[in-house]
Amino acid sequence: DFDRAICEQAINDFLLRQPQVRHTAEVILDRMAIGRNLRLLAETAKERLTTAHHASLSYGGFLGGANLLNHTRRQFEGLIDHDVIGAVTRLDHALHLTGTSPKLLARLFLSGGTCNIPRIKDCLAGRFGERIVSRLELPAGLRHVAVGPDGMNDIGNATAMGAALLAVHGAEPVFANSI
């Protein structure tokens, strides 16, 4: 949960600068009304860091509008690197367990919001090669499906959306495993 990791780091950094605040990041995120708003802001910061080299997280409803986070893409990648490497390792393991050689994979399709994170693309490309790392775009006629009731982007179940995209693009998955 990269959004939560961003929130926890931002809140913990803030709490270090504000010793009079007696809450933990867990309490703020899970039990206080502002937790959901902070997670939404963290998601926005994460999305921004997929294309920009800097993002900040500020929230007027949090202790007087304190600037909670100024992050570079490099810092964000350091925050998520352990999880990204772990996911690629699990993918390697899943392929090994099924007896599937990475050389037999024509493409590795990424779905969900994390497929835009450059570190994930780079890690997969480094392990499996550029030729199999790609991202599918929703066809124009289906783009309205990706908008939730609140008007925000919402692809719903990333695995189901990935399967639908494969079908739309005429591909047939021969190996699928949740990592």
Side-chain angles (χ1 to χ4, degrees), residues 1 38 43 47 50 61-63 67 71-72 81 86 110 140 146-147 154 170 172:
D1 186 348
L38 289 173
E43 180 180 19
E47 290 170 359
T50 65
F62 185 73
L63 299 175
N67 189 5
H71 237 154
T72 65
D81 204 49
L110 305 177
V147 177
D154 179 19
E172 213 177 292

Side-chain angles (χ1 to χ4, degrees), residues 35-155:
R36 175 166 164 62
N37 292 334
L38 289 173
R39 284 190 296 274
L40 291 172
L41 289 169
E43 180 180 19
T44 300
K46 174 188 72 178
E47 290 170 359
R48 178 160 167 71
L49 288 168
T50 65
T51 58
H53 292 286
H54 179 267
S56 61
L57 179 77
S58 297
Y59 180 47
F62 185 73
L63 299 175
N67 189 5
L68 293 175
L69 175 75
N70 281 309
H71 237 154
T72 65
R73 183 185 297 170
R74 180 176 228 145
Q75 289 169 316
F76 172 62
E77 289 173 348
L79 181 65
I80 67 169
D81 204 49
H82 178 75
D83 291 328
V84 172
I85 291 169
V88 172
T89 300
R90 288 187 297 281
L91 178 57
D92 260 337
H93 183 69
L95 288 170
H96 175 75
L97 286 177
T98 62
T100 304
S101 167
K103 293 178 182 178
L104 295 176
L105 298 176
R107 287 192 180 165
L108 176 64
F109 290 106
L110 305 177
S111 65
T114 57
C115 68
N116 295 315
I117 298 173
R119 177 64 181 130
I120 292 174
K121 291 179 187 178
D122 293 344
C123 196
L124 288 169
R127 172 58 187 97
F128 297 103
E130 292 281 341
R131 67 179 174 78
I132 64 169
V133 178
S134 63
R135 180 173 191 273
L136 294 173
E137 294 294 330
L138 278 172
L142 294 178
R143 288 198 181 124
H144 70 281
V145 173
V147 177
D150 60 358
M152 302 295 285
N153 287 338
D154 179 19
I155 64 158

Side-chain angles (χ1 to χ4, degrees), residues 23-34:
H23 296 295
T24 64
E26 181 179 313
V27 168
I28 292 169
L29 285 172
D30 296 335
R31 298 187 194 134
M32 296 178 77
I34 61 172

